Amino acid sequence: MSFNLFTYGVLMYDELLTLLTGKEFTSMPAVLPNHQRLTLVKDGWPRIPVVVPEESSSVRGVVIKGLDEVSIKILDEFEDTEIDLYKRSKSIAILNSGAKIEVNLYVGGTSAKGCLSEEWHPTKFVDAHFDEYKNEIIPGFLKNRRIT
């Protein structure tokens, strides 16, 4: 089984996704309608994006095509689905071509509720945290993975 995944934060950067999964995937720019991307503000956590349903908003990101089951399990663990920080959900994204595509995506779970603040901006992430994810957070996660 393979998955299409709409990504809107850390996972939309090919270099970080490849570092996490050990694989390269095809990605395409897309928009997720009826959702909003906010910033998680929680003590001891980096400022990470969380998408929540919001009728009049949309989120720009990318669709990763053809994720395999092993890779999606790695991403589920990375996204802390077991503590319900995020939960994997399904929706429809719109590619730049206008085509609609069914996708999985990580939306805010109950652990994120009450901790969401202003809009999250990709350029601020790249400037402030990309190297930290590349050199510390992802390698540390891979070293300490609970699921193999």
Side-chain angles (χ1 to χ4, degrees), residues 39-58:
T39 303
L40 179 79
V41 179
K42 198 169 187 172
D43 287 341
W45 289 77
R47 305 265 171 161
I48 54 177
V50 176
V51 160
V52 294
E54 178 63 44
E55 278 297 316
S56 61
S57 295
S58 62

Side-chain angles (χ1 to χ4, degrees), residues 13-140:
Y13 299 97
D14 290 338
E15 185 176 2
L16 299 181
L17 183 66
T18 299
L19 185 59
L20 268 168
T21 63
K23 300 174 184 170
E24 292 184 10
F25 298 97
T26 300
S27 62
M28 303 177 324
V31 172
L32 181 68
N34 300 316
H35 287 78
Q36 180 179 24
R37 178 174 45 200
L38 298 171
T39 303
L40 179 79
V41 179
K42 198 169 187 172
D43 287 341
W45 289 77
R47 305 265 171 161
I48 54 177
V50 176
V51 160
V52 294
E54 178 63 44
E55 278 297 316
S56 61
S57 295
S58 62
V59 175
R60 292 199 168 280
V62 297
V63 171
I64 309 299
K65 294 193 76 176
L67 281 158
D68 57 273
E69 289 189 39
V70 171
S71 296
I72 205 77
K73 284 181 183 178
I74 292 168
L75 299 181
D76 282 351
E77 185 179 343
F78 183 72
E79 296 293 357
D80 286 318
T81 58
E82 75 279 355
I83 64 166
D84 202 28
L85 182 63
Y86 293 94
K87 59 184 175 184
R88 189 158 32 100
S89 183
K90 291 189 180 194
S91 191
I92 300 293
I94 303 169
L95 302 175
N96 280 358
S97 67
K100 294 180 179 180
I101 184 170
E102 186 176 338
V103 294
N104 282 259
L105 72 146
Y106 293 102
V107 298
T110 56
S111 294
K113 301 249 190 284
C115 302
L116 300 177
S117 186
E118 73 278 350
E119 178 78 15
W120 184 87
H121 296 282
T123 53
K124 289 181 183 177
F125 168 77
V126 170
D127 292 343
H129 299 292
F130 185 91
D131 287 341
E132 179 184 12
Y133 270 83
K134 179 181 171 184
N135 298 319
E136 297 171 31
I137 293 174
I138 293 174

